[in-house]
Amino acid sequence: MQQLKNIQEIETAVNEYGEIVISRNSKNNIIVMSMEEYRKKLLQYEIEQKLLQSEEDYRNGNIKDAEEVFKEWEEKYEI
């Protein structure tokens, strides 16, 4: 494990590794990451949640036939 002593070293490490874990007394307490890495992880999490919801909807029968949906759109939006 690398020991970092100042903000510039932390910034360099984050840029190199994408994220770092800050520990105190052998306990991992803080994760530091770039905004780009944070946005990627947030987007990935949101996609995973939508997929899980979709799977649950499918299992519960909350689905519509695509042709039915397109027909509703044609009527509603006059397309």
Side-chain angles (χ1 to χ4, degrees), residues 3 5-6 10 15 32-33 57 60 71 78:
Q3 190 170 9
K5 298 186 189 247
N6 64 45
I10 292 172
N15 289 334
V32 179
M33 65 183 74
D57 286 342
N60 293 331
K71 185 177 179 183
E78 300 177 356

Side-chain angles (χ1 to χ4, degrees), residues 34-49:
S34 68
M35 283 302 294
E36 180 182 350
E37 188 69 23
Y38 173 75
R39 287 183 182 114
K40 285 180 190 176
K41 289 187 180 296
L42 184 59
L43 178 61
Q44 180 180 358
Y45 174 78
E46 290 172 349
I47 290 169
E48 289 171 358
Q49 293 304 306

Side-chain angles (χ1 to χ4, degrees), residues 2 15-16 23 29 38 40 49 59 63 65 72 74:
Q2 185 177 1
N15 289 334
E16 184 174 342
S23 300
N29 295 324
Y38 173 75
K40 285 180 190 176
Q49 293 304 306
R59 280 192 303 273
I63 57 174
D65 183 71
E72 288 176 9
E74 286 175 354

Side-chain angles (χ1 to χ4, degrees), residues 11-69:
E11 184 179 3
T12 300
V14 167
N15 289 334
E16 184 174 342
Y17 302 112
E19 62 185 53
I20 59 172
V21 177
I22 299 177
S23 300
R24 183 174 182 184
N25 299 330
S26 300
K27 294 180 181 176
N28 296 337
N29 295 324
I30 300 170
I31 297 175
V32 179
M33 65 183 74
S34 68
M35 283 302 294
E36 180 182 350
E37 188 69 23
Y38 173 75
R39 287 183 182 114
K40 285 180 190 176
K41 289 187 180 296
L42 184 59
L43 178 61
Q44 180 180 358
Y45 174 78
E46 290 172 349
I47 290 169
E48 289 171 358
Q49 293 304 306
K50 297 286 185 188
L51 288 171
L52 289 171
Q53 182 63 50
S54 297
E55 290 173 353
E56 184 177 331
D57 286 342
Y58 180 78
R59 280 192 303 273
N60 293 331
N62 297 332
I63 57 174
K64 285 186 177 182
D65 183 71
E67 289 181 12
E68 180 183 336
V69 172

